[in-house]
Amino acid sequence: MSKFALQDKCYRITTLDAKDIRWPTSLGSHGSDAMHTDPDYSCVYVTINTSDGLYGNGLTFTLGRGTDIVLLAVKAMKGMVENRTSHSIFGDFAKFWRELTSESQLRWIGPEKGVTHLAAAAIINALWDLWGKIRGVPVWRLLTDMEPEELVSTIDFRYITDAITPEEAISILKSSKEGRESRVASLVSNGYPAYTTQVGWLGYTDDYIRTLCQKYLAAGFTAFKIKVGQNLQNDIKRCKLVREEIGWENKLMVDANQIWDVDVAIEWMKQLREFKLLWIEEPTSPDDVLGHKRIADALREYNVGVATGEMCCNRVLFKQFLQANALEFCQIDSARIGGVNEILAVYLMAKKFNVKVCPHAGGVGLCEMVQHLQMWDFTSVSCTTDDRMVEFVDQQHEQFVNPAEINSNACYIAPQAAGYSTELKPEAIAGYEYPVGTEWTKMFTEGIFKIQEY
Protein backbone atom coordinates (compact mmCIF):
# COMPACT_ATOMS: atom_id res chain seq x y z
CA MET A 1 0.00 0.00 0.00
CA SER A 2 1.24 3.47 -0.87
CA LYS A 3 2.09 5.48 2.23
CA PHE A 4 1.19 8.63 0.30
CA ALA A 5 -2.42 7.76 -0.57
CA LEU A 6 -3.08 6.51 2.95
CA GLN A 7 -2.52 10.07 4.21
CA ASP A 8 -5.71 11.15 2.40
CA LYS A 9 -9.14 10.90 3.97
CA CYS A 10 -10.70 7.53 3.19
CA TYR A 11 -13.96 7.46 1.24
CA ARG A 12 -16.26 4.47 0.65
CA ILE A 13 -17.53 4.16 -2.91
CA THR A 14 -21.25 3.41 -2.91
CA THR A 15 -22.35 3.40 -6.54
CA LEU A 16 -21.03 3.64 -10.08
CA ASP A 17 -23.52 5.10 -12.53
CA ALA A 18 -22.97 5.17 -16.30
CA LYS A 19 -24.90 6.90 -19.09
CA ASP A 20 -24.84 7.02 -22.91
CA ILE A 21 -24.60 10.70 -23.95
CA ARG A 22 -24.67 11.71 -27.63
CA TRP A 23 -24.76 14.89 -29.71
CA PRO A 24 -26.05 14.97 -33.35
CA THR A 25 -22.86 16.41 -34.83
CA SER A 26 -23.32 14.43 -38.06
CA LEU A 27 -26.02 16.92 -39.09
CA GLY A 28 -23.34 19.57 -39.70
CA SER A 29 -20.53 17.22 -40.78
CA HIS A 30 -18.62 18.24 -37.64
CA GLY A 31 -15.85 15.72 -37.01
CA SER A 32 -16.07 14.19 -40.50
CA ASP A 33 -12.96 12.62 -41.97
CA ALA A 34 -11.92 10.03 -44.55
CA MET A 35 -13.00 7.09 -42.39
CA HIS A 36 -15.68 8.59 -40.15
CA THR A 37 -18.06 10.33 -42.51
CA ASP A 38 -21.07 10.84 -40.22
CA PRO A 39 -19.90 10.94 -36.57
CA ASP A 40 -22.24 11.81 -33.73
CA TYR A 41 -19.90 12.92 -30.96
CA SER A 42 -20.72 10.82 -27.91
CA CYS A 43 -19.40 9.47 -24.64
CA VAL A 44 -20.02 6.92 -21.95
CA TYR A 45 -20.25 9.09 -18.86
CA VAL A 46 -19.40 7.61 -15.48
CA THR A 47 -20.19 8.99 -12.03
CA ILE A 48 -18.59 7.37 -8.97
CA ASN A 49 -20.39 8.31 -5.75
CA THR A 50 -19.10 8.03 -2.18
CA SER A 51 -20.90 7.73 1.15
CA ASP A 52 -19.65 11.23 2.06
CA GLY A 53 -21.29 12.90 -0.96
CA LEU A 54 -18.03 13.39 -2.87
CA TYR A 55 -18.11 12.10 -6.43
CA GLY A 56 -15.87 11.68 -9.45
CA ASN A 57 -16.80 11.90 -13.13
CA GLY A 58 -15.09 10.27 -16.06
CA LEU A 59 -15.81 9.47 -19.67
CA THR A 60 -14.62 7.78 -22.79
CA PHE A 61 -15.22 9.30 -26.23
CA THR A 62 -17.20 7.48 -28.94
CA LEU A 63 -18.95 8.33 -32.23
CA GLY A 64 -22.61 7.31 -31.88
CA ARG A 65 -23.64 3.71 -32.56
CA GLY A 66 -21.49 1.51 -30.40
CA THR A 67 -21.64 3.79 -27.39
CA ASP A 68 -24.20 1.48 -25.86
CA ILE A 69 -21.77 -1.44 -26.23
CA VAL A 70 -19.13 0.43 -24.25
CA LEU A 71 -21.86 1.24 -21.73
CA LEU A 72 -22.56 -2.46 -21.26
CA ALA A 73 -18.84 -3.08 -20.67
CA VAL A 74 -18.76 -0.38 -17.97
CA LYS A 75 -21.75 -1.99 -16.28
CA ALA A 76 -19.95 -5.34 -16.38
CA MET A 77 -17.06 -3.76 -14.45
CA LYS A 78 -18.98 -1.70 -11.90
CA GLY A 79 -18.93 -4.50 -9.33
CA MET A 80 -15.15 -4.19 -9.13
CA VAL A 81 -15.50 -0.56 -8.00
CA GLU A 82 -18.59 -0.39 -5.82
CA ASN A 83 -18.10 -0.95 -2.09
CA ARG A 84 -14.36 -0.35 -2.39
CA THR A 85 -12.63 2.38 -0.43
CA SER A 86 -10.49 5.12 -1.91
CA HIS A 87 -7.56 3.81 0.17
CA SER A 88 -7.91 0.31 -1.31
CA ILE A 89 -7.73 1.77 -4.83
CA PHE A 90 -5.30 4.68 -4.60
CA GLY A 91 -3.12 2.88 -2.05
CA ASP A 92 -2.07 0.46 -4.81
CA PHE A 93 -3.48 2.00 -7.97
CA ALA A 94 -1.36 -0.11 -10.33
CA LYS A 95 -2.73 -3.28 -8.75
CA PHE A 96 -6.31 -2.05 -9.03
CA TRP A 97 -5.74 -0.96 -12.65
CA ARG A 98 -4.48 -4.45 -13.49
CA GLU A 99 -7.48 -6.05 -11.77
CA LEU A 100 -9.86 -3.89 -13.80
CA THR A 101 -8.17 -4.37 -17.17
CA SER A 102 -7.24 -8.03 -16.73
CA GLU A 103 -10.35 -9.49 -15.09
CA SER A 104 -10.13 -13.16 -16.00
CA GLN A 105 -13.41 -13.43 -17.92
CA LEU A 106 -13.66 -9.97 -19.45
CA ARG A 107 -10.08 -9.97 -20.72
CA TRP A 108 -10.95 -12.76 -23.17
CA ILE A 109 -12.86 -10.27 -25.35
CA GLY A 110 -10.05 -7.74 -25.30
CA PRO A 111 -7.03 -7.90 -23.03
CA GLU A 112 -6.13 -4.21 -22.77
CA LYS A 113 -7.76 -3.29 -26.05
CA GLY A 114 -11.11 -2.64 -27.68
CA VAL A 115 -14.43 -2.07 -25.98
CA THR A 116 -13.37 -3.29 -22.55
CA HIS A 117 -10.36 -0.97 -22.47
CA LEU A 118 -12.51 2.01 -23.47
CA ALA A 119 -14.84 1.10 -20.63
CA ALA A 120 -11.95 0.82 -18.19
CA ALA A 121 -10.74 4.27 -19.28
CA ALA A 122 -14.08 5.86 -18.37
CA ILE A 123 -13.90 4.33 -14.89
CA ILE A 124 -10.23 5.17 -14.36
CA ASN A 125 -10.75 8.76 -15.49
CA ALA A 126 -13.61 9.09 -12.97
CA LEU A 127 -11.32 7.80 -10.22
CA TRP A 128 -8.64 10.39 -11.05
CA ASP A 129 -11.31 13.09 -10.95
CA LEU A 130 -12.30 11.80 -7.51
CA TRP A 131 -8.67 11.72 -6.35
CA GLY A 132 -8.12 15.30 -7.48
CA LYS A 133 -11.21 16.34 -5.53
CA ILE A 134 -10.04 14.42 -2.44
CA ARG A 135 -6.80 16.42 -2.51
CA GLY A 136 -8.52 19.62 -3.60
CA VAL A 137 -6.42 20.20 -6.74
CA PRO A 138 -6.77 19.87 -10.52
CA VAL A 139 -5.34 16.61 -11.85
CA TRP A 140 -2.39 18.31 -13.57
CA ARG A 141 -1.36 19.71 -10.20
CA LEU A 142 -2.07 16.40 -8.45
CA LEU A 143 0.39 14.69 -10.81
CA THR A 144 2.92 17.51 -10.53
CA ASP A 145 2.87 17.46 -6.73
CA MET A 146 3.26 13.69 -6.42
CA GLU A 147 6.58 12.35 -5.27
CA PRO A 148 8.16 10.32 -8.09
CA GLU A 149 7.74 7.08 -6.16
CA GLU A 150 4.02 7.72 -5.64
CA LEU A 151 3.36 8.58 -9.26
CA VAL A 152 5.28 5.57 -10.54
CA SER A 153 3.35 3.34 -8.14
CA THR A 154 0.17 4.05 -10.14
CA ILE A 155 1.61 2.49 -13.33
CA ASP A 156 1.44 -1.18 -14.33
CA PHE A 157 4.85 -1.89 -15.90
CA ARG A 158 3.98 -5.39 -17.07
CA TYR A 159 5.02 -5.87 -20.72
CA ILE A 160 7.10 -2.66 -20.94
CA THR A 161 10.11 -3.23 -18.68
CA ASP A 162 12.20 -3.96 -21.78
CA ALA A 163 11.59 -0.32 -22.71
CA ILE A 164 11.43 1.39 -19.32
CA THR A 165 11.66 0.20 -15.72
CA PRO A 166 10.08 1.72 -12.62
CA GLU A 167 13.54 2.77 -11.50
CA GLU A 168 14.18 4.60 -14.78
CA ALA A 169 10.79 6.31 -14.53
CA ILE A 170 11.54 7.50 -10.99
CA SER A 171 14.91 8.80 -12.16
CA ILE A 172 13.28 10.77 -15.01
CA LEU A 173 10.86 12.41 -12.59
CA LYS A 174 13.53 13.18 -10.00
CA SER A 175 15.77 14.77 -12.62
CA SER A 176 12.99 17.20 -13.57
CA LYS A 177 12.41 18.59 -10.08
CA GLU A 178 14.74 21.54 -10.59
CA GLY A 179 12.79 24.50 -11.93
CA ARG A 180 9.42 22.81 -11.53
CA GLU A 181 7.74 25.61 -9.63
CA SER A 182 8.90 28.18 -12.17
CA ARG A 183 7.34 26.03 -14.90
CA VAL A 184 4.13 25.82 -12.89
CA ALA A 185 4.12 29.62 -12.60
CA SER A 186 4.75 29.97 -16.34
CA LEU A 187 1.93 27.55 -17.09
CA VAL A 188 -0.52 29.44 -14.90
CA SER A 189 0.51 32.76 -16.45
CA ASN A 190 0.81 31.77 -20.10
CA GLY A 191 -1.10 28.53 -20.65
CA TYR A 192 -0.12 25.67 -22.97
CA PRO A 193 0.08 25.98 -26.80
CA ALA A 194 -2.83 24.66 -28.86
CA TYR A 195 -3.49 23.95 -32.52
CA THR A 196 -6.89 23.65 -34.18
CA THR A 197 -8.53 21.05 -36.40
CA GLN A 198 -11.76 23.03 -36.53
CA VAL A 199 -10.97 24.35 -40.01
CA GLY A 200 -10.40 21.01 -41.66
CA TRP A 201 -13.34 18.58 -41.52
CA LEU A 202 -13.89 16.87 -44.86
CA GLY A 203 -17.59 17.66 -44.98
CA TYR A 204 -17.04 21.45 -44.89
CA THR A 205 -17.39 23.66 -47.98
CA ASP A 206 -14.47 25.70 -49.28
CA ASP A 207 -16.11 28.96 -48.27
CA TYR A 208 -16.71 27.70 -44.76
CA ILE A 209 -13.08 26.55 -44.48
CA ARG A 210 -11.90 30.03 -45.49
CA THR A 211 -14.19 31.62 -42.91
CA LEU A 212 -12.91 29.31 -40.17
CA CYS A 213 -9.26 29.91 -41.09
CA GLN A 214 -9.82 33.64 -40.74
CA LYS A 215 -11.67 33.16 -37.44
CA TYR A 216 -8.93 31.07 -35.82
CA LEU A 217 -6.12 33.22 -37.16
CA ALA A 218 -7.82 36.16 -35.47
CA ALA A 219 -8.04 34.07 -32.29
CA GLY A 220 -4.25 33.72 -32.22
CA PHE A 221 -3.78 30.24 -33.67
CA THR A 222 -0.58 29.56 -35.61
CA ALA A 223 -1.01 25.84 -36.27
CA PHE A 224 -3.82 24.21 -38.26
CA LYS A 225 -4.75 20.65 -39.24
CA ILE A 226 -7.03 19.42 -42.01
CA LYS A 227 -8.39 16.01 -42.95
CA VAL A 228 -7.25 14.27 -46.11
CA GLY A 229 -7.44 10.88 -47.79
CA GLN A 230 -10.57 10.53 -49.90
CA ASN A 231 -9.51 12.28 -53.11
CA LEU A 232 -5.99 13.43 -53.97
CA GLN A 233 -6.97 16.31 -56.21
CA ASN A 234 -9.42 17.58 -53.62
CA ASP A 235 -6.71 17.33 -50.95
CA ILE A 236 -4.33 19.37 -53.11
CA LYS A 237 -7.04 22.00 -53.62
CA ARG A 238 -7.88 22.16 -49.89
CA CYS A 239 -4.23 22.36 -48.81
CA LYS A 240 -3.72 25.19 -51.29
CA LEU A 241 -6.84 26.94 -50.01
CA VAL A 242 -5.74 26.72 -46.38
CA ARG A 243 -2.21 27.89 -47.20
CA GLU A 244 -3.68 30.90 -49.00
CA GLU A 245 -5.54 31.80 -45.81
CA ILE A 246 -2.97 31.01 -43.10
CA GLY A 247 0.20 31.86 -45.03
CA TRP A 248 3.46 29.94 -45.08
CA GLU A 249 4.81 31.13 -41.74
CA ASN A 250 2.17 29.11 -39.82
CA LYS A 251 2.15 25.34 -39.29
CA LEU A 252 -0.04 23.02 -41.35
CA MET A 253 -0.64 19.33 -40.61
CA VAL A 254 -2.80 16.71 -42.35
CA ASP A 255 -4.65 13.69 -40.99
CA ALA A 256 -5.69 10.63 -43.04
CA ASN A 257 -7.43 8.77 -40.20
CA GLN A 258 -5.97 5.37 -41.19
CA ILE A 259 -7.43 5.15 -44.71
CA TRP A 260 -4.32 4.32 -46.78
CA ASP A 261 -2.17 1.28 -47.43
CA VAL A 262 1.51 1.89 -46.76
CA ASP A 263 2.64 2.47 -50.35
CA VAL A 264 -0.40 4.64 -51.09
CA ALA A 265 0.40 6.78 -48.04
CA ILE A 266 3.95 7.38 -49.22
CA GLU A 267 2.96 8.30 -52.77
CA TRP A 268 0.00 10.45 -51.66
CA MET A 269 2.17 12.41 -49.28
CA LYS A 270 4.80 13.00 -51.97
CA GLN A 271 2.05 14.81 -53.87
CA LEU A 272 1.26 16.99 -50.85
CA ARG A 273 4.81 17.75 -49.73
CA GLU A 274 4.83 21.10 -51.57
CA PHE A 275 2.56 22.48 -48.87
CA LYS A 276 5.29 22.32 -46.20
CA LEU A 277 3.47 19.92 -43.90
CA LEU A 278 4.66 19.36 -40.34
CA TRP A 279 3.15 15.89 -40.12
CA ILE A 280 0.91 13.28 -41.63
CA GLU A 281 -1.31 11.81 -38.94
CA GLU A 282 -2.49 8.19 -38.91
CA PRO A 283 -1.46 7.43 -42.50
CA THR A 284 -2.30 3.72 -42.21
CA SER A 285 -3.64 1.11 -39.80
CA PRO A 286 -3.04 2.23 -36.20
CA ASP A 287 -1.72 -1.25 -35.37
CA ASP A 288 0.87 -1.37 -38.17
CA VAL A 289 4.15 -0.43 -36.48
CA LEU A 290 6.38 -1.56 -39.34
CA GLY A 291 4.14 0.12 -41.91
CA HIS A 292 4.41 3.40 -40.04
CA LYS A 293 8.17 2.96 -39.91
CA ARG A 294 8.34 2.55 -43.69
CA ILE A 295 6.25 5.69 -44.15
CA ALA A 296 8.31 7.65 -41.61
CA ASP A 297 11.58 6.59 -43.23
CA ALA A 298 10.30 7.51 -46.70
CA LEU A 299 9.03 10.96 -45.70
CA ARG A 300 11.98 12.16 -43.62
CA GLU A 301 13.77 13.51 -46.70
CA TYR A 302 10.76 15.80 -47.25
CA ASN A 303 10.75 16.94 -43.60
CA VAL A 304 7.27 15.51 -43.08
CA GLY A 305 6.92 13.73 -39.76
CA VAL A 306 4.59 10.87 -38.88
CA ALA A 307 2.15 11.39 -36.02
CA THR A 308 0.08 8.56 -34.57
CA GLY A 309 -1.32 7.11 -31.37
CA GLU A 310 -4.91 8.36 -31.26
CA MET A 311 -6.19 4.82 -31.91
CA CYS A 312 -3.36 2.86 -30.29
CA CYS A 313 -4.99 0.42 -27.93
CA ASN A 314 -2.38 0.06 -25.15
CA ARG A 315 1.08 0.94 -23.84
CA VAL A 316 2.62 -2.10 -25.57
CA LEU A 317 1.81 -0.78 -29.02
CA PHE A 318 3.25 2.62 -28.07
CA LYS A 319 6.36 0.84 -26.81
CA GLN A 320 6.83 -0.81 -30.20
CA PHE A 321 6.30 2.44 -32.13
CA LEU A 322 8.95 4.12 -29.98
CA GLN A 323 11.40 1.24 -30.17
CA ALA A 324 11.05 1.07 -33.97
CA ASN A 325 11.49 4.85 -34.47
CA ALA A 326 8.21 4.72 -36.39
CA LEU A 327 6.85 8.13 -35.42
CA GLU A 328 8.08 11.66 -34.77
CA PHE A 329 5.00 12.85 -32.87
CA CYS A 330 3.40 10.63 -30.23
CA GLN A 331 -0.35 11.23 -29.94
CA ILE A 332 -1.86 9.93 -26.72
CA ASP A 333 -5.64 10.07 -26.32
CA SER A 334 -7.08 10.65 -22.86
CA ALA A 335 -9.83 8.05 -23.25
CA ARG A 336 -8.20 5.42 -25.42
CA ILE A 337 -5.66 3.31 -23.51
CA GLY A 338 -7.06 2.56 -20.09
CA GLY A 339 -7.09 6.08 -18.68
CA VAL A 340 -4.51 8.14 -16.86
CA ASN A 341 -2.41 5.33 -15.35
CA GLU A 342 -1.44 3.79 -18.67
CA ILE A 343 -1.00 7.15 -20.37
CA LEU A 344 1.59 8.13 -17.76
CA ALA A 345 3.68 5.17 -18.90
CA VAL A 346 3.56 6.38 -22.50
CA TYR A 347 4.75 9.86 -21.55
CA LEU A 348 7.68 8.41 -19.63
CA MET A 349 8.63 6.09 -22.50
CA ALA A 350 8.40 8.99 -24.96
CA LYS A 351 10.76 10.98 -22.75
CA LYS A 352 13.27 8.13 -22.67
CA PHE A 353 13.11 7.71 -26.47
CA ASN A 354 13.24 11.50 -27.02
CA VAL A 355 9.94 11.64 -28.93
CA LYS A 356 7.62 14.64 -28.73
CA VAL A 357 4.09 14.13 -27.36
CA CYS A 358 1.36 16.15 -29.10
CA PRO A 359 -1.96 14.77 -27.81
CA HIS A 360 -5.08 14.05 -29.76
CA ALA A 361 -8.14 15.91 -28.51
CA GLY A 362 -11.33 17.48 -29.80
CA GLY A 363 -13.92 14.81 -29.07
CA VAL A 364 -16.33 15.08 -26.15
CA GLY A 365 -14.27 15.81 -23.04
CA LEU A 366 -10.92 15.04 -24.64
CA CYS A 367 -9.70 18.64 -24.54
CA GLU A 368 -10.92 18.91 -20.96
CA MET A 369 -8.90 15.87 -19.87
CA VAL A 370 -5.81 15.88 -22.04
CA GLN A 371 -4.82 19.42 -21.09
CA HIS A 372 -4.08 18.10 -17.59
CA LEU A 373 -1.78 15.38 -18.93
CA GLN A 374 0.20 17.65 -21.22
CA MET A 375 0.58 20.28 -18.52
CA TRP A 376 2.04 17.62 -16.23
CA ASP A 377 4.43 16.68 -19.03
CA PHE A 378 5.61 20.29 -19.12
CA THR A 379 6.02 20.63 -15.36
CA SER A 380 7.49 17.20 -14.65
CA VAL A 381 8.63 15.15 -17.67
CA SER A 382 9.76 16.87 -20.88
CA CYS A 383 9.88 20.27 -19.12
CA THR A 384 9.44 22.08 -22.45
CA THR A 385 6.78 23.20 -24.92
CA ASP A 386 9.21 23.26 -27.86
CA ASP A 387 7.54 21.60 -30.88
CA ARG A 388 4.73 20.43 -28.60
CA MET A 389 1.07 21.46 -28.71
CA VAL A 390 -2.37 20.10 -27.88
CA GLU A 391 -5.18 19.72 -30.39
CA PHE A 392 -8.22 21.95 -29.87
CA VAL A 393 -11.65 21.61 -31.45
CA ASP A 394 -14.35 24.05 -30.42
CA GLN A 395 -17.21 21.60 -29.81
CA GLN A 396 -19.23 20.54 -26.74
CA HIS A 397 -17.12 22.55 -24.26
CA GLU A 398 -20.21 24.47 -23.18
CA GLN A 399 -21.64 21.18 -21.91
CA PHE A 400 -19.08 20.98 -19.06
CA VAL A 401 -19.10 22.58 -15.64
CA ASN A 402 -15.40 23.47 -16.00
CA PRO A 403 -14.76 23.61 -19.77
CA ALA A 404 -11.38 23.81 -21.46
CA GLU A 405 -10.57 27.43 -22.22
CA ILE A 406 -8.21 29.03 -24.73
CA ASN A 407 -6.62 32.44 -24.16
CA SER A 408 -5.92 35.17 -26.72
CA ASN A 409 -2.57 33.58 -27.58
CA ALA A 410 -4.25 30.30 -28.52
CA CYS A 411 -3.05 28.53 -25.38
CA TYR A 412 -4.99 26.29 -23.02
CA ILE A 413 -5.59 28.08 -19.71
CA ALA A 414 -4.40 25.94 -16.80
CA PRO A 415 -7.46 24.55 -14.96
CA GLN A 416 -7.84 25.62 -11.34
CA ALA A 417 -10.91 23.63 -10.23
CA ALA A 418 -10.25 20.41 -8.34
CA GLY A 419 -10.53 17.23 -10.41
CA TYR A 420 -10.21 16.28 -14.08
CA SER A 421 -12.59 18.86 -15.66
CA THR A 422 -14.95 16.00 -16.57
CA GLU A 423 -18.28 16.95 -15.00
CA LEU A 424 -21.14 17.52 -17.45
CA LYS A 425 -23.82 20.08 -16.69
CA PRO A 426 -27.16 18.56 -15.57
CA GLU A 427 -28.91 20.12 -18.57
CA ALA A 428 -26.45 18.44 -20.95
CA ILE A 429 -27.33 15.04 -19.49
CA ALA A 430 -31.07 15.81 -19.49
CA GLY A 431 -30.95 16.90 -23.13
CA TYR A 432 -28.57 14.42 -24.71
CA GLU A 433 -28.74 11.14 -22.80
CA TYR A 434 -29.49 8.57 -25.46
CA PRO A 435 -32.25 7.72 -26.27
CA VAL A 436 -34.32 9.35 -23.51
CA GLY A 437 -32.94 12.91 -23.47
CA THR A 438 -35.26 15.72 -24.42
CA GLU A 439 -33.24 16.70 -27.50
CA TRP A 440 -33.19 13.12 -28.83
CA THR A 441 -36.88 12.62 -28.12
CA LYS A 442 -37.61 15.75 -30.16
CA MET A 443 -35.42 14.61 -33.09
CA PHE A 444 -37.04 11.15 -33.10
CA THR A 445 -40.49 12.76 -33.13
CA GLU A 446 -39.54 15.07 -36.00
CA GLY A 447 -38.00 12.22 -38.00
CA ILE A 448 -34.51 13.74 -38.03
CA PHE A 449 -33.11 10.52 -36.55
CA LYS A 450 -34.47 7.02 -36.12
CA ILE A 451 -33.85 5.25 -32.82
CA GLN A 452 -31.44 2.36 -33.30
CA GLU A 453 -32.92 -1.09 -32.84
CA TYR A 454 -31.35 -4.52 -32.41
Side-chain angles (χ1 to χ4, degrees):
M1 297 286 283
S2 167
K3 64 180 181 180
F4 304 100
L6 297 181
Q7 296 171 2
D8 300 330
K9 178 180 176 180
C10 186
Y11 291 81
R12 183 175 66 84
I13 295 170
T14 54
T15 60
L16 186 155
D17 177 65
K19 298 181 184 297
D20 178 339
I21 314 291
R22 309 186 194 183
W23 285 268
T25 51
S26 62
L27 296 177
S29 295
H30 307 305
S32 55
D33 60 51
M35 292 289 271
H36 311 95
T37 55
D38 60 346
D40 287 321
Y41 273 27
S42 313
C43 69
V44 171
Y45 181 65
V46 168
T47 302
I48 293 175
N49 297 293
T50 73
S51 57
D52 295 65
L54 197 66
Y55 57 90
N57 299 112
L59 56 88
T60 199
F61 172 58
T62 54
L63 288 182
R65 288 189 301 275
T67 308
D68 48 354
I69 301 173
V70 182
L71 181 65
L72 286 172
V74 170
K75 291 179 177 179
M77 295 176 178
K78 65 182 293 186
M80 290 183 275
V81 182
E82 293 178 339
N83 298 313
R84 297 284 295 262
T85 67
S86 57
H87 277 184
S88 72
I89 293 173
F90 302 136
D92 195 344
F93 211 170
K95 180 176 181 290
F96 173 80
W97 187 89
R98 184 181 290 191
E99 290 172 0
L100 192 68
T101 58
S102 298
E103 198 275 335
S104 64
Q105 295 184 8
L106 289 175
R107 79 180 304 276
W108 187 256
I109 61 172
E112 300 185 14
K113 63 172 71 75
V115 169
T116 57
H117 220 42
L118 289 171
I123 294 170
I124 291 296
N125 290 335
L127 287 168
W128 279 91
D129 183 58
L130 177 63
W131 202 0
K133 290 172 180 174
I134 288 173
R135 293 198 176 174
V137 293
V139 165
W140 71 266
R141 188 79 215 207
L142 170 65
L143 293 168
T144 298
D145 290 344
M146 281 183 171
E147 290 297 326
E149 292 82 0
E150 180 181 24
L151 187 139
V152 170
S153 76
T154 69
I155 300 170
D156 185 355
F157 281 83
R158 182 164 64 178
Y159 308 140
I160 62 171
T161 53
D162 56 321
I164 191 168
T165 65
E167 294 74 21
E168 288 176 312
I170 289 171
S171 178
I172 288 171
L173 294 170
K174 284 185 174 180
S175 68
S176 71
K177 278 194 169 184
E178 184 177 352
R180 185 171 301 173
E181 286 309 312
S182 66
R183 291 190 293 276
V184 168
S186 173
L187 186 62
V188 171
S189 296
N190 304 316
Y192 196 96
Y195 74 89
T196 184
T197 307
Q198 195 72 45
V199 304
W201 304 122
L202 273 182
Y204 286 176
T205 65
D206 291 355
D207 287 343
Y208 192 40
I209 291 172
R210 289 189 186 276
T211 297
L212 289 172
C213 285
Q214 293 163 12
K215 173 184 175 180
Y216 286 95
L217 278 170
F221 282 86
T222 60
F224 301 78
K225 188 173 76 182
I226 65 172
K227 302 292 184 173
V228 296
Q230 285 186 335
N231 179 284
L232 177 57
Q233 294 308 312
N234 186 51
D235 287 348
I236 292 171
K237 183 185 75 170
R238 291 168 71 251
C239 284
K240 182 179 179 181
L241 182 157
V242 172
R243 273 294 180 206
E244 287 174 354
E245 293 297 330
I246 71 170
W248 291 87
E249 70 280 7
N250 290 317
K251 294 182 176 70
L252 178 61
M253 299 84 77
V254 293
D255 183 357
N257 288 96
Q258 316 140 41
I259 197 169
W260 297 322
D261 284 354
V262 172
D263 290 332
V264 173
I266 293 170
E267 292 307 312
W268 202 295
M269 287 307 300
K270 286 180 179 179
Q271 299 299 312
L272 298 182
R273 70 183 187 274
E274 65 178 289
F275 297 105
K276 191 183 173 185
L277 303 174
L278 180 63
W279 74 53
I280 169 60
E281 184 172 329
E282 290 195 311
T284 192
S285 165
D287 301 325
D288 189 356
V289 177
L290 297 183
H292 274 85
K293 178 173 175 55
R294 275 195 58 208
I295 296 167
D297 289 344
L299 296 182
R300 284 193 180 101
E301 66 177 288
Y302 307 115
N303 295 315
V304 178
V306 166
T308 198
E310 167 187 346
M311 293 285 283
C312 285
C313 55
N314 55 49
R315 65 202 181 283
V316 178
L317 197 52
F318 276 104
K319 177 190 75 171
Q320 293 175 351
F321 271 103
L322 293 165
Q323 289 174 325
N325 192 27
L327 77 173
E328 281 79 25
F329 299 93
C330 177
Q331 292 184 306
I332 57 94
D333 177 284
S334 55
R336 174 63 57 179
I337 65 165
V340 175
N341 306 54
E342 192 169 20
I343 293 170
L344 300 179
V346 176
Y347 271 101
L348 291 163
M349 286 191 290
K351 169 66 176 178
K352 180 179 175 180
F353 285 87
N354 196 31
V355 172
K356 297 176 282 292
V357 179
C358 293
H360 167 253
V364 178
L366 299 187
C367 295
E368 277 67 27
M369 291 186 288
V370 84
Q371 60 181 337
H372 290 266
L373 302 171
Q374 195 74 355
M375 289 175 185
W376 164 73
D377 175 71
F378 172 59
T379 65
S380 305
V381 186
S382 71
C383 305
T384 182
T385 59
D386 291 348
D387 297 321
R388 290 163 171 82
M389 49 189 169
V390 180
E391 186 171 18
F392 179 77
V393 176
D394 197 8
Q395 292 175 200
Q396 280 74 52
H397 303 300
E398 71 282 358
Q399 312 291 347
F400 287 87
V401 173
N402 295 297
E405 296 182 277
I406 299 293
N407 66 21
S408 59
N409 293 317
C411 291
Y412 278 87
I413 298 172
Q416 296 301 308
Y420 204 16
S421 306
T422 38
E423 183 175 359
L424 285 170
K425 294 178 180 177
E427 56 267 33
I429 298 170
Y432 294 99
E433 183 177 0
Y434 188 89
V436 299
T438 55
E439 294 297 325
W440 283 108
T441 301
K442 179 181 178 183
M443 287 185 284
F444 295 146
T445 301
E446 295 176 354
I448 298 173
F449 281 88
K450 291 182 179 180
I451 190 168
Q452 67 186 59
E453 298 179 355
Y454 297 99

